[in-house]
Amino acid sequence: MKIVDAQVVVTSPGRNFVTLKITTDEGLTGLGDATLNGRELSVVSYLTDHVVPLLIGTDPHRIEDTWQYLYRGAYWRRGPVTMAAIAAVDVALWDIKAKAAGLPLYQLLGGASRERIRAYGHAAGRDIPELLDCVRARQAEGYRAIRVQTGVPGLTNVYGVRPDLSVSDQLPRPVVEDWDTPAYLRHLPRVLEAVRAEFGPGLPLLHDAHHRLTPIQAARLGKDVEPYDLFWLEDCTPAENQEALRLVRRHTTTPLAIGEVFNTVFDYQTLINEQLIDYVRSAVTHFGGVTPLRKLFDYAAQYQIKSAVHGPEDISPVGMAAALHLDLAIHNFGIQEYSGHTALTGEVFRHAYTFTDGYLHPGEAPGIGVELDEELAAAHPYRPAYLPVNRLADGSVHDW
């Protein structure tokens, strides 16, 4: 079997997605997600100009060899653009291999280690009453674990709370969000107290600090929220400085999750070796694919650290499906983020995975279980979009 074609498809059924479609001489096709939110076209160029020409004529079954060839052969290793491009190739090849075997991907990864995959959803509100209403709405949808985010008094636009702009409303520059760390640190414990008072101790609650704290601020927050028994505190401080988590860990027993902006195992070495975190958060799409993420989970398992794959709306159904097959197979699964997608996205990317009563399953279709409607995808072309930028009260960009 040989690869005879590889195409990069960019579509925007509500938001931008980048998909690689690989075709073999036996008519099998495989899909991979290459979406890099806010920098999508950089990965399109990387794939189209530098990777696709290397794939034509190669054996799609040689997944590990292809991965190493693309990672080591470029000389310039790592980074989100490179790893998203490699991830797309890797997932597409796994998709082809599983289709050739007539099996869902998880069977090639060792088979199921569980019957279903626990997911958590997002709840947010501009104030506490609105947040409580949103938690109720998520529970009504079936979620049994919920991430809570709320507005901060005195701030207008806050991460996780500001209503998403539709693509047609996107500004030519990033939206500016407000930030005030002392106000946030004062407010969040009150928010969690209110949520616990309303929903009791049994609901797993998660919170994302989104890299916005210094190590000592993160340590203080972790300690302050201990009475509310968080499932985890996510991205409490910019984790490029891995040593910073030593300080946080010394001061709190609140579980810590980190890694959605990480691209390789090297970003995790100190965090895992010293057991400074409890959950690894990388996405299949941004970590180079199924091949390296499975290795990361095996490494983390030696230190009783669990998986928690990043799964926001900007991970396409292709990336989500690949994650679910991995979730089902690994032993040290923790929880899966799941924000869902728009109905239109579901039409463009028809998928076999399901969400029922708070749990996900990848389905039994051969491969990863996703098919791309290319005609519908072409009807929704790329549109410029940006992630927000944060500024302090004095107008300066925050220095996280």
Side-chain angles (χ1 to χ4, degrees):
M1 189 185 297
K2 299 293 182 184
I3 295 173
V4 295
D5 189 39
Q7 298 178 345
V8 181
V9 178
V10 185
T11 184
S12 187
R15 67 188 310 145
N16 294 318
F17 297 112
V18 179
T19 307
L20 177 67
K21 180 181 179 181
I22 294 177
T23 303
T24 73
D25 57 356
E26 296 185 8
L28 291 176
T29 61
L31 300 178
D33 182 19
T35 307
L36 187 61
N37 194 13
R39 294 293 183 268
E40 297 90 352
L41 297 185
S42 59
V43 189
V44 172
S45 175
Y46 195 107
L47 281 168
T48 303
D49 299 330
H50 305 293
V51 173
V52 165
L54 304 178
L55 299 177
I56 306 304
T58 63
D59 182 351
H61 285 306
R62 297 183 62 167
I63 298 175
E64 177 72 28
D65 182 63
T66 299
W67 195 96
Q68 299 294 343
Y69 175 69
L70 294 176
Y71 179 77
R72 301 179 187 282
Y75 184 77
W76 307 105
R77 302 179 184 180
R78 308 167 66 183
V81 174
T82 293
M83 300 311 288
I86 294 176
V89 176
D90 184 79
V91 171
L93 296 185
W94 276 112
D95 194 18
I96 289 170
K97 183 179 283 289
K99 286 177 179 176
L103 295 169
L105 175 57
Y106 75 83
Q107 293 288 12
L108 272 62
L109 301 176
S113 289
R114 56 196 47 80
E115 298 301 320
R116 53 187 184 170
I117 298 159
R118 180 164 65 161
Y120 73 89
H122 297 175
R126 288 165 293 183
D127 53 28
I128 291 175
E130 188 172 274
L131 172 62
L132 299 181
D133 286 343
C134 193
V135 172
R136 293 186 193 97
R138 295 291 85 78
Q139 288 182 312
E141 293 168 359
Y143 285 101
R144 297 167 178 261
I146 299 174
R147 191 192 81 172
V148 292
Q149 309 292 140
T150 185
V152 177
L155 302 184
T156 303
N157 293 324
V158 177
Y159 162 76
V161 178
R162 177 187 59 81
D164 288 337
L165 297 176
S166 69
V167 174
S168 61
D169 292 331
Q170 286 286 1
L171 303 174
R173 294 181 183 273
V175 170
V176 175
E177 293 183 344
D178 309 320
W179 192 248
D180 182 333
T181 301
Y184 164 75
L185 292 174
R186 291 191 300 268
H187 185 59
L188 183 63
R190 294 197 293 268
V191 172
L192 296 177
E193 181 181 27
V195 175
R196 277 285 175 236
E198 181 71 17
F199 298 100
L203 177 64
L205 296 179
L206 306 85
H207 177 72
D208 186 357
H210 212 239
H211 320 279
R212 301 185 176 209
L213 305 175
T214 65
I216 195 65
Q217 290 168 343
R220 169 189 161 184
L221 181 61
K223 189 175 183 65
D224 286 348
V225 302
E226 283 178 7
Y228 311 112
D229 190 26
L230 283 183
F231 186 91
W232 76 40
L233 176 63
E234 179 184 346
D235 289 340
C236 59
T237 190
E240 295 96 328
N241 177 12
Q242 296 185 43
E243 292 83 358
L245 273 295
R246 293 172 181 157
L247 187 151
V248 181
R249 197 62 139 179
R250 283 198 300 269
H251 289 280
T252 181
T253 58
T254 296
L256 302 174
I258 242 164
E260 69 182 58
V261 299
F262 287 173
N263 308 124
T264 72
V265 68
F266 303 107
D267 299 312
Y268 281 106
Q269 282 184 300
T270 298
L271 300 178
I272 291 176
N273 288 345
E274 298 186 19
Q275 301 182 72
L276 301 179
I277 57 173
D278 302 280
Y279 297 90
V280 292
R281 292 274 295 127
S282 291
V284 172
T285 301
H286 304 137
F287 202 77
V290 169
T291 297
L293 197 57
R294 175 62 184 266
K295 294 175 183 177
L296 173 69
F297 292 155
D298 289 342
Y299 174 35
Q302 299 177 58
Y303 298 89
Q304 297 177 292
I305 296 170
K306 294 185 177 182
S307 75
V309 176
H310 188 46
E313 298 93 330
D314 53 272
I315 299 294
S316 87
V318 175
M320 176 59 65
L324 297 182
H325 284 278
L326 195 51
D327 289 338
L328 199 67
I330 61 172
H331 174 68
N332 58 324
F333 169 77
I335 200 167
Q336 173 66 55
E337 181 179 21
Y338 180 65
S339 301
H341 292 96
T342 66
L344 180 57
T345 298
E347 293 174 14
V348 173
F349 298 94
R350 298 186 299 273
H351 55 80
Y353 65 77
T354 57
F355 174 73
T356 306
D357 197 25
Y359 291 87
L360 291 152
H361 192 281
E364 299 297 333
I368 62 171
V370 181
E371 297 298 330
L372 175 65
D373 186 326
E374 294 185 60
E375 183 176 347
L376 186 56
H380 300 279
Y382 168 84
R383 289 181 145 182
Y386 298 92
L387 292 172
V389 172
N390 289 269
R391 290 189 182 274
L392 302 178
D394 65 3
S396 62
V397 175
H398 203 291
D399 62 349
W400 293 305

